[in-house]
Amino acid sequence: MSSPSPSPDGLPTTVTTVPDISVVVIVYNDAERLPTAVQSVLDQTLHNVEVIIADDCSTDGSYAVARKLAAQCPDRVRAIQLEENSGGCGEPRNQGIAVARGRYVMFLDSDDTLELNACRNMLEAAETTGADLVSGLCLRVHVDNRHGKTTEWYRWLYNSTRTLDSVAELPDLLVFDTLSTNKCYRREFLIESNLSFPKRIHYEDLLFSAQAYLAASRITLIPNTVYYWNVVEKTEKKSISNRRNEINNFADRVEIHRRIDAILKSRGMDDLKLHKDVKFLKHDLVLYLRELPFLDDDYRHAFAGMAREYVQSFAPEAYSELHPAHAICAYLLLQEDWDKLMPAIDMLLNRSKLAVPLVEKDGRIYWCEEHLEDPHARALLDVTDLGYHTKPVEKLDLRNRLVSYSERPSDVVVSGAVVNPLGKIGPDAKLSAEIVLKARRAGFQSFRFPVRSVRVEGERVFWEATLPLAKELRPLGIVDDVWNVRMHLKVDGRTTISAITVGSTDIERTGLLTVRPRLTRLAGDRIEAEVSGRGHLAFHVVQHSAASQKARALIRNNMDSLPARIAKTTYRKARDVRKDLNSGPRKIDGYHRMIKALPVRKGTVVFESHLGKQYSDSPRALYEELKRRGAPIHAIWSYAGAKPVGFPADVELVQRWSWKYLRALAQAEFWVDNQGFPLKLRKRPETTYIQTWHGSALKRMGFDEPGYRLMSEGEQAAYQASLDRFDHFVVRSEHDVRTLARAYRVPESKLLRTGYPRNDALVKDRDATGESREVTELKKRLGIRPGLPVVLYAPTFRANAGGKVRKFEFPFDVETLAERFGDKFTLLVRTHYLNQVALPPAMAGRVINVSEEPDITPLLLASDALITDYSSVMFDYALLQRPMIFFAYDWEEYAQDIRGTYFDLIETAPGPVPRDEEALYAVLEDLDGVRDRYGPQVKEFVDRYGEYDHGDAAAQIADRFFGGKGDAR
């Protein structure tokens, strides 16, 4: 049986007896939006689809709308109604499954829609791969956001099409994408597996999705967007899942998780259980912790009890996967330590914030002093690795807690307390502060009010201020109705900026605080305090009187008038033009226009080191040689980040990717860098590009890497074009010629066999007698103890299989090393610039973190021995002919991964190669012996890998390209 029905393009189409897909659309009291949801199914490019509207006993006429839709399209739409309201989304879907006729089943909520090709893409994937379940990308559409905000739901799961034989192959799928609506299920699979949604309990999706994932013999993921999840953020009526201030809501979530746990246990899937537990602590629990500061003691106690009963069974390994903020909150919640938990929640919502004074105990830093007698708590509360104790005040985001708030007719009186971590702000510090109000949306205007009193009292800095808002706050009105509040605290001339956390402090609103917008009081006549989504104090311009409310409504209505639309359109165009001017494509296009229109500025040299992150390496050495000899150049250095750090005060600086940077590159006579100027910027023929590179290679590079060889022909051509910009490529040995030059396809004619300019200082120091003034000053500045040897530990970075840089972790117990050798030498720790590290206070003086030093060369000069692994620093340090130790604890993993190495370091290392911690300590016991035993090997290593490093590389390059007085000393 079949009959014609209209298709999206107006042509008749036929629905066969057995639909390809049945889409179950559930509805409850949503008559207005239901037709749009249903139409998104009828408009599908796959026509053989039926719609089943399952009404959960609505009271607003939704079922009447459903029946009307069914009557309009009887062959494609059916409507059913439950006898009584089920109180959730699960049972309507069950009823829909029961009457579905399609070979596949999908689910749709009445306030959402399907992407136009969703059914076709799902069906093709299912039929092609034989999957029981196909899942696609869900797009969250923030419908009340005026900028059209959308967010992709766990995009990384859907980067490409892939088929899994078990969800255990991709645990993140089970853990994160728990939606039932962005999926297509084979109906026989649902029936044979006896899959249904739980009844009369919320979070039914979590359980149903878990059951489906675990039961499916094959799962296919597709990168296509299939589902539009419409989200309304500014609404008083919260959805079921957002009613987190209701304790039964949390009880339902925990119960659903218990049921999933039982299934995992029955299948012996402990690894999946661990992944899910980590996600519960990182996500599920956090959703409720956000609300906790604003709820009463009865709720908090009940919530903590439920959480403790469930979470206490989690394996300790679950906590090791967490950021300290999550682990600390979970532990303090289970202990019901509200005084310490509330600041921890503040840190959880504002990750960079330091919320408590901290405590130092036994040489390590802890969140608080309480609970440290418990070994488990001691591990969780240890925040040493976050490095708070190493940062100056101006680099800390300190919690600023509101202590009191009161309103008077013309002003607001506020006071607060700023955390003083570890007493960083001393009692004699020179303090001043001001409160700054800045419009959240239209940030072009701000108002500043002085803080009348600010003082240090132990672990807090207390302050009081009066804000004459009625007199001095003059907003424009309408476009700048919400104002963020920040305090700028100046400590001995250094400024730290903090938001003001409201917490449990009562905000006494009088409703009498007037305001005078520049658009007159028709745009607002009162200003009220409010709490932002992150728990901070803010102010909101509102209408108080009925007349004012009517006037504002009139203004808002007129905002849609023709003149207003013209004004808004003009403003938006100007905003979009500005945004477009600062976009990557526009800048690249603008740069290429510059190189055609602007002349070369003779003598201009743009220097860059490590993508603008440092003033260091061979570009620095060459620049300083040119400066020393008075070469006729105009030097420009690029820097990355908001502010340049460590660059000379007397040189022109340009921020990387700024328009000034692009113009400098477009007009430069020379480019000099050690890594690579932006790949998409062509070099004009008149510009000479000197590539100094940043180290000889152990690991395979460039086109020797399998990843580059697997690139498409177009991608390889684009990459090769960026390499072809090099006019000259500096090498320090024939090893570089055989490896780097070949891997980057640099022809012989472009090679500069000069050695590295950065290594000139090493060669000269090796032949010098006594310690240079630079090294003496460096040791003094770093606090290196005189009279003891210095050992530098400089490892390379590690990456996972996907190329992402892993967090740095010591491969040995650094505290044990400090205890064992602290009186024999000073250990300097220099991580790769892609890593960072924080050392415990207990090691002060014995182990020093020098990772922030911009240039490694002075550190090499200051060191009597080197510990490395596979870093290219080995090739440079060898020039000093001092002891080198190669701690190759993971050589097999490092050397045999997908990239591979150019030679076997274990066989050729010019120093001992300990493979475990005790072997490392044994070598460190006899550094003089290392020097004696490996002296000849070090010299041979230098001859092989540094044959052109003679101490005059910078001079050779300067002589050839820049001139000046080469013999001036």
Side-chain angles (χ1 to χ4, degrees):
M1 299 291 294
S2 63
S3 60
S5 62
S7 67
D9 54 11
L11 299 175
T13 187
T14 299
V15 177
T16 61
T17 304
V18 179
D20 288 322
I21 299 178
S22 296
V23 180
V24 178
V25 182
I26 63 168
V27 61
Y28 175 71
N29 286 353
D30 196 19
E32 184 176 347
R33 291 179 293 191
L34 176 62
T36 301
V38 171
Q39 194 62 44
S40 77
V41 184
L42 297 178
D43 289 344
Q44 288 291 300
T45 54
L46 177 70
H47 299 148
N48 189 24
V49 177
E50 74 164 351
V51 182
I52 299 168
I53 306 173
D55 177 72
D56 199 9
C57 202
S58 297
T59 60
D60 73 335
S62 291
Y63 185 54
V65 172
R67 294 182 64 185
K68 181 179 179 181
L69 293 171
Q72 291 172 349
C73 198
D75 289 323
R76 301 191 66 193
V77 181
R78 288 183 288 156
I80 61 173
Q81 185 178 44
L82 276 66
E83 295 182 357
E84 60 179 3
N85 180 255
S86 69
C89 301
E91 187 57 18
R93 290 174 183 154
N94 291 337
Q95 296 297 325
I97 294 172
V99 300
R101 298 177 300 174
R103 295 185 297 119
Y104 294 87
V105 176
M106 294 174 61
F107 303 111
L108 174 64
D109 293 348
S110 60
D111 52 348
D112 300 330
T113 57
L114 293 182
E115 192 275 337
L116 185 64
N117 300 293
C119 290
R120 179 179 298 280
N121 289 331
M122 292 281 209
L123 180 66
E124 288 180 354
E127 299 283 71
T128 302
T129 64
D132 293 324
L133 185 162
V134 176
S135 189
L137 183 65
C138 171
L139 189 70
R140 284 168 58 94
V141 181
H142 300 262
V143 295
D144 55 348
N145 183 279
R146 62 196 184 96
H147 300 297
K149 176 183 175 183
T150 61
T151 53
E152 295 175 325
W153 188 252
Y154 299 116
R155 174 71 203 184
W156 84 88
L157 294 171
Y158 297 97
N159 285 331
S160 61
T161 299
R162 52 180 161 175
T163 299
L164 312 172
D165 291 327
S166 168
V167 73
E169 296 176 26
L170 185 62
D172 280 355
L173 187 61
L174 172 78
V175 169
F176 290 101
D177 188 1
T178 57
L179 300 178
S180 65
T181 48
N182 61 333
K183 297 172 176 60
C184 179
Y185 312 84
R186 190 165 56 84
R187 186 165 65 92
E188 288 185 4
F189 158 70
L190 295 178
I191 296 171
E192 291 169 358
S193 303
N194 197 28
L195 291 178
S196 63
F197 289 87
K199 302 178 183 179
R200 300 206 171 275
I201 188 170
H202 301 317
Y203 305 108
E204 62 286 320
D205 268 21
L206 272 68
L207 181 58
F208 183 85
S209 295
Q211 291 173 322
Y213 283 141
L214 293 168
S217 60
R218 183 166 292 176
I219 301 167
T220 294
L221 310 181
I222 59 174
N224 312 78
T225 298
V226 298
Y227 194 88
Y228 296 126
W229 179 1
N230 295 321
V231 180
V232 181
E233 295 177 340
K234 300 172 185 177
T235 176
E236 294 184 4
K237 184 180 180 181
K238 295 183 177 180
S239 65
I240 291 172
S241 60
N242 285 327
R243 297 172 196 164
R244 292 187 280 271
N245 60 331
E246 300 174 4
I247 195 64
N248 288 338
N249 186 286
F250 183 62
D252 281 357
R253 186 180 288 265
V254 170
E255 174 59 25
I256 288 292
H257 274 273
R258 288 187 187 279
R259 296 185 191 184
I260 298 172
D261 292 345
I263 299 171
L264 294 175
K265 183 178 180 180
S266 68
R267 292 171 174 259
M269 293 182 161
D270 294 340
D271 288 345
L272 277 177
K273 170 70 162 59
L274 179 62
H275 276 85
K276 193 185 72 66
D277 289 348
V278 171
K279 191 254 188 176
F280 184 89
L281 294 173
K282 289 174 66 173
H283 175 73
D284 298 69
L285 198 62
V286 172
L287 294 174
Y288 296 85
L289 288 173
R290 299 170 71 97
E291 309 287 338
L292 215 55
F294 312 106
L295 300 173
D296 59 35
D297 290 342
D298 289 340
Y299 179 95
R300 292 179 183 177
H301 180 68
F303 174 70
M306 288 183 187
R308 181 167 48 249
E309 185 180 355
Y310 179 56
V311 172
Q312 65 186 359
S313 64
F314 285 10
E317 291 81 3
Y319 289 90
S320 65
E321 300 292 326
L322 302 178
H323 183 279
H326 292 104
I328 290 169
C329 283
Y331 179 81
L332 294 174
L333 171 66
L334 303 192
Q335 302 304 312
E336 297 195 44
D337 186 344
W338 309 116
D339 289 341
K340 296 296 185 294
L341 175 59
M342 295 307 150
I345 293 173
D346 198 4
M347 179 178 71
L348 194 65
L349 302 183
N350 306 277
R351 193 59 58 80
S352 65
K353 184 178 292 187
L354 175 53
V356 293
L358 304 177
V359 61
E360 181 179 340
K361 195 175 184 68
D362 300 328
R364 296 194 67 82
I365 307 299
Y366 296 93
W367 181 258
C368 58
E369 192 165 7
E370 293 79 2
H371 314 292
L372 296 184
E373 68 283 351
D374 176 4
H376 178 59
R378 197 179 185 92
L380 296 182
L381 298 174
D382 189 332
V383 294
T384 307
D385 290 346
L386 295 181
Y388 293 129
H389 59 292
T390 67
K391 297 178 182 178
V393 169
E394 66 271 20
K395 290 190 176 181
L396 289 172
D397 178 10
L398 302 175
R399 187 179 195 236
N400 190 348
R401 179 176 60 86
L402 187 67
V403 174
S404 66
Y405 176 98
S406 61
E407 294 179 355
R408 299 184 297 202
S410 61
D411 55 37
V412 173
V413 180
V414 289
S415 68
V418 181
V419 164
N420 181 15
L422 302 169
K424 284 180 181 287
I425 305 174
D428 299 325
K430 185 178 179 181
L431 303 177
S432 62
E434 61 182 357
I435 302 294
V436 179
L437 270 67
K438 189 171 184 179
R440 184 175 297 171
R441 281 197 310 211
F444 53 82
Q445 195 176 22
S446 63
F447 295 89
R448 297 172 179 268
F449 306 97
V451 173
R452 67 170 182 266
S453 172
V454 55
R455 64 192 185 280
V456 178
E457 292 185 11
E459 296 181 336
R460 299 287 189 279
V461 176
F462 291 92
W463 58 270
E464 298 95 26
T466 299
L467 313 180
L469 301 183
K471 180 180 179 181
E472 298 187 23
L473 181 65
R474 295 297 309 278
L476 183 64
I478 305 294
V479 298
D480 56 353
D481 53 347
V482 180
W483 291 77
N484 290 328
V485 183
R486 299 291 184 267
M487 191 175 91
H488 293 221
L489 174 64
K490 187 171 289 187
V491 181
D492 294 329
R494 299 168 299 169
T495 302
T496 178
I497 301 174
S498 57
I500 301 174
T501 299
V502 175
S504 57
T505 301
D506 290 333
I507 298 179
E508 300 175 8
R509 299 181 181 89
T510 64
L512 302 176
L513 197 63
T514 59
V515 71
R516 296 182 300 156
R518 298 182 187 276
L519 289 178
T520 78
R521 287 180 174 166
L522 295 178
D525 61 356
R526 295 289 189 274
I527 188 166
E528 291 183 350
E530 67 177 26
V531 182
S532 73
R534 293 187 177 273
H536 299 143
L537 180 66
F539 288 100
H540 193 177
V541 178
V542 297
Q543 287 70 40
H544 182 70
S545 66
S548 181
Q549 290 175 11
K550 290 181 180 179
R552 186 177 177 92
L554 181 62
I555 290 176
R556 287 198 177 279
N557 289 337
N558 286 331
M559 294 287 276
D560 290 326
S561 65
L562 179 60
R565 288 200 302 271
I566 293 173
K568 286 190 289 185
T569 299
T570 302
Y571 166 76
R572 287 169 182 162
K573 284 183 177 179
R575 180 195 63 196
D576 292 342
V577 166
R578 183 177 179 181
K579 184 178 180 181
D580 180 60
L581 282 173
N582 286 293
S583 68
R586 179 63 66 184
K587 285 186 172 180
I588 293 171
D589 178 68
Y591 165 81
H592 290 121
R593 291 174 182 271
M594 287 183 202
I595 63 177
K596 293 178 180 179
L598 299 177
V600 170
R601 294 168 60 192
K602 288 293 184 180
T604 299
V605 186
V606 179
F607 292 92
E608 184 171 285
S609 179
H610 293 304
L611 309 180
K613 295 177 182 178
Q614 297 175 350
Y615 172 65
S616 66
D617 212 82
S618 290
R620 172 180 177 173
L622 178 58
Y623 163 72
E624 291 179 351
E625 170 66 16
L626 294 173
K627 183 179 179 182
R628 181 192 64 76
R629 61 170 59 191
I633 67 166
H634 174 66
I636 300 174
W637 272 88
S638 88
Y639 69 91
K643 295 181 179 179
V645 178
F647 289 83
D650 60 347
V651 72
E652 182 180 348
L653 298 175
V654 292
Q655 187 177 30
R656 202 168 195 264
W657 272 113
S658 67
W659 282 106
K660 288 184 177 179
Y661 172 81
L662 297 173
R663 178 165 183 165
L665 288 176
Q667 294 192 273
E669 184 180 6
F670 291 93
W671 291 359
V672 178
D673 91 311
N674 65 351
Q675 198 155 339
F677 287 106
L679 299 181
K680 294 185 178 181
L681 302 184
R682 293 198 308 272
K683 181 186 69 66
R684 65 193 307 163
E686 305 95 317
T687 299
T688 299
Y689 187 171
I690 303 173
Q691 173 56 259
T692 67
W693 205 240
H694 53 275
S696 298
L698 168 63
K699 199 109 178 181
R700 294 188 181 276
M701 306 290 286
F703 284 103
D704 285 347
E705 294 183 45
Y708 285 93
R709 294 199 298 269
L710 293 174
M711 290 192 306
S712 68
E713 185 176 338
E715 290 172 324
Q716 287 196 26
Y719 186 55
Q720 184 64 58
S722 71
L723 299 174
D724 289 342
R725 297 178 303 172
F726 302 161
D727 292 298
H728 303 282
F729 188 85
V730 175
V731 295
R732 58 195 300 262
S733 69
E734 287 305 304
H735 169 74
D736 289 355
V737 176
R738 293 189 299 271
T739 57
L740 292 173
R742 184 173 60 83
Y744 290 115
R745 299 176 180 174
V746 180
E748 173 69 26
S749 60
K750 293 185 177 183
L751 299 181
L752 291 179
R753 288 177 169 85
T754 61
Y756 285 164
R758 73 183 187 192
N759 289 341
D760 290 348
L762 301 179
V763 175
K764 293 171 183 176
D765 185 87
R766 179 188 66 201
D767 300 331
T769 58
E771 189 173 86
S772 68
R773 186 177 68 178
E774 182 182 20
V775 169
T776 301
E777 292 176 351
L778 175 70
K779 287 183 174 181
K780 183 177 180 180
R781 178 167 58 82
L782 294 176
I784 296 175
R785 297 166 295 172
L788 286 178
V790 176
V791 177
L792 175 65
Y793 175 52
T796 189
F797 69 94
R798 302 294 191 277
N800 60 23
K804 184 178 180 181
V805 176
R806 299 202 308 246
K807 176 184 175 183
F808 173 77
E809 294 181 353
F810 281 101
F812 51 82
D813 188 331
V814 67
E815 294 185 59
T816 298
L817 186 146
E819 186 66 28
R820 188 163 172 176
F821 297 99
D823 60 348
K824 296 180 180 180
F825 58 76
T826 300
L827 182 71
L828 305 183
V829 176
R830 167 76 173 203
T831 60
H832 191 277
Y833 70 87
L834 296 174
N835 292 132
Q836 57 185 6
V837 66
L839 297 173
M843 300 180 195
R846 297 177 295 171
V847 183
I848 301 173
N849 181 14
V850 294
S851 301
E852 295 298 320
E853 291 293 311
D855 197 352
I856 195 173
T857 299
L859 298 172
L860 300 179
L861 293 170
S863 302
D864 298 287
L866 171 72
I867 306 172
T868 187
D869 42 21
Y870 324 113
S871 170
S872 64
V873 73
M874 71 175 79
F875 300 105
D876 303 320
Y877 193 77
L879 294 169
L880 292 169
Q881 297 187 10
R882 298 173 187 172
M884 292 192 292
I885 301 165
F886 300 86
F887 188 33
Y889 63 94
D890 62 346
W891 170 250
E892 286 75 18
E893 177 187 352
Y894 187 86
Q896 296 176 14
D897 75 358
I898 192 171
R899 280 177 64 179
T901 60
Y902 286 118
F903 62 89
D904 188 337
L905 179 66
I906 305 298
E907 295 295 326
T908 61
V913 187
R915 304 298 300 276
D916 58 48
E917 191 169 346
E918 282 304 318
L920 172 65
Y921 296 158
V923 172
L924 291 174
E925 292 283 3
D926 186 21
L927 289 176
D928 289 337
V930 173
R931 182 191 302 272
D932 295 337
R933 291 193 304 274
Y934 289 92
Q937 288 95 317
V938 171
K939 291 180 181 179
E940 182 182 342
F941 193 79
V942 171
D943 291 341
R944 181 182 303 169
Y945 299 111
E947 59 190 294
Y948 303 131
D949 280 322
H950 300 303
D952 61 348
Q956 287 190 61
I957 296 172
D959 288 342
R960 176 169 176 177
F961 298 102
F962 302 100
K965 297 180 180 179
D967 58 349
R969 297 290 171 183

